[in-house]
Amino acid sequence: MEQKLYKTVNSAGISSIVTGIIAVVAGLACVAGGILAVIQGGRLLGARKNILF
């Protein structure tokens, strides 16, 4: 169970960062959303170590 949650958080963080980078590269209209996605992805990946079971 713990492994599954850890992998889910990891993949969600990585996909958020990738989506943010793509949004920033795609155009200026998406820059704010892209930056927020990158920040949230980084926070999610950083919070993995705080998961308590």
Side-chain angles (χ1 to χ4, degrees):
M1 178 74 175
E2 296 116 18
Q3 288 273 341
K4 188 174 182 180
L5 178 63
Y6 187 81
K7 287 181 180 181
T8 301
V9 170
N10 189 32
S11 65
I14 290 172
S15 65
S16 181
I17 290 175
V18 170
T19 302
I21 291 171
I22 290 171
V24 169
V25 171
L28 293 177
C30 297
V31 170
I35 291 171
L36 289 175
V38 169
I39 291 171
Q40 289 299 97
R43 282 183 163 175
L44 191 56
L45 290 175
R48 289 182 302 173
K49 61 183 174 190
N50 297 329
I51 295 175
L52 299 175
F53 296 100

